[in-house]
Every structure is written in C-alpha cells, then in structure tokens.
Amino acid sequence: MYRILVVCTGNTCRSPLASILLEEAFRRKGLAEQVVVDSAGIFAARGQSISSGAMQSLDKRGLEEAAKRHRSKPVEHHELSLVDLILVMTREHKLLSLRTRRIRLTKCIRFVNT
C-alpha cells in the first residue's frame, strides 16, 4: 500500500480538494486498492468541514459525497513516518514540515507552484 499525505495550512480548502481529486484519479485508474490518499493541515483545527469553494468545485465533478465526509485535522508527527509521499501546497509548508517534523527531504515535495 502506497500512502500519500497532502498538506496545507488549515485542511479545509487546498489539501482536501487535492486529496479527493487524487483519490478519484487513482480510483479511475484502478489503483484505489494500492494507493491511500489523506490530507492534513500544519495549523488545522480538528473537525471543520471543507470550505464552500472547495465543495462547489468537487460538486461540479460529482465528488460532493467525499467532500461532505471530510473533517479537518492537524498534521500528526507519527503520521508522517507512515506515509511514502508528502505533497505540500507552498514552500513554507515544506519548510515547516521539514523543520518541525524532521522528515526526509525526498519524501516531501511541493504540489503546486506558488
């Protein structure tokens, strides 16, 4: 099982949107049983719903049920050691992840160019 964690700041917009889209892409390719995608936030509060903008975007793609199930969560140190790849939204997310979580540089890459 290959594990991917998508990280942003609050885990209500970018990272859940990206993780749900990735999960759907893997499902369409027949890889849902081989790849697990999750999301978390560097400064996330636990239990918040996905943002309305992300919900609208996912609704247009028929993924509103996955969006409704999402609840925000902070990045957990133990979780980082269990994933194979960490996708971050900004350079700052990468630096914070590397500095505070002591993860390998090769495990953490920037997902979007900001």
Side-chain angles (χ1 to χ4, degrees), residues 94-109:
K94 183 174 181 176
L95 293 173
L96 280 169
S97 295
L98 291 170
R99 227 179 290 135
T100 61
R101 301 336 192 265
R102 296 185 192 133
I103 58 174
R104 296 189 323 266
L105 183 62
T106 56
K107 194 177 196 177
C108 183
I109 62 171

Side-chain angles (χ1 to χ4, degrees), residues 2-4 23 39 47 49 57 65 67-68 83 91 95 98 106 113:
Y2 193 82
R3 299 181 186 282
I4 300 172
E23 198 170 57
S39 67
S49 300
S57 180
E65 288 306 312
K68 288 177 185 176
V83 298
R91 184 178 58 185
L95 293 173
L98 291 170
T106 56
N113 207 4

Side-chain angles (χ1 to χ4, degrees), residues 17-48:
L17 177 65
S19 68
I20 291 169
L21 291 174
L22 278 172
E23 198 170 57
E24 176 63 11
F26 288 125
R27 187 193 64 74
R28 286 186 180 176
K29 293 287 185 180
L31 299 170
E33 299 298 318
Q34 298 169 346
V35 181
V36 173
V37 183
D38 198 5
S39 67
I42 298 281
F43 300 113
R46 191 171 298 281
Q48 294 183 334

Side-chain angles (χ1 to χ4, degrees), residues 29-83:
K29 293 287 185 180
L31 299 170
E33 299 298 318
Q34 298 169 346
V35 181
V36 173
V37 183
D38 198 5
S39 67
I42 298 281
F43 300 113
R46 191 171 298 281
Q48 294 183 334
S49 300
I50 199 165
S51 72
S52 60
M55 176 65 90
Q56 289 173 1
S57 180
L58 292 166
D59 187 37
K60 289 178 186 176
R61 292 168 173 82
L63 298 170
E64 63 280 348
E65 288 306 312
K68 288 177 185 176
R69 287 191 303 270
H70 174 77
R71 292 295 174 259
S72 63
K73 66 178 183 175
V75 175
E76 301 285 346
H77 177 71
H78 72 278
E79 186 177 34
L80 295 176
S81 64
L82 300 175
V83 298

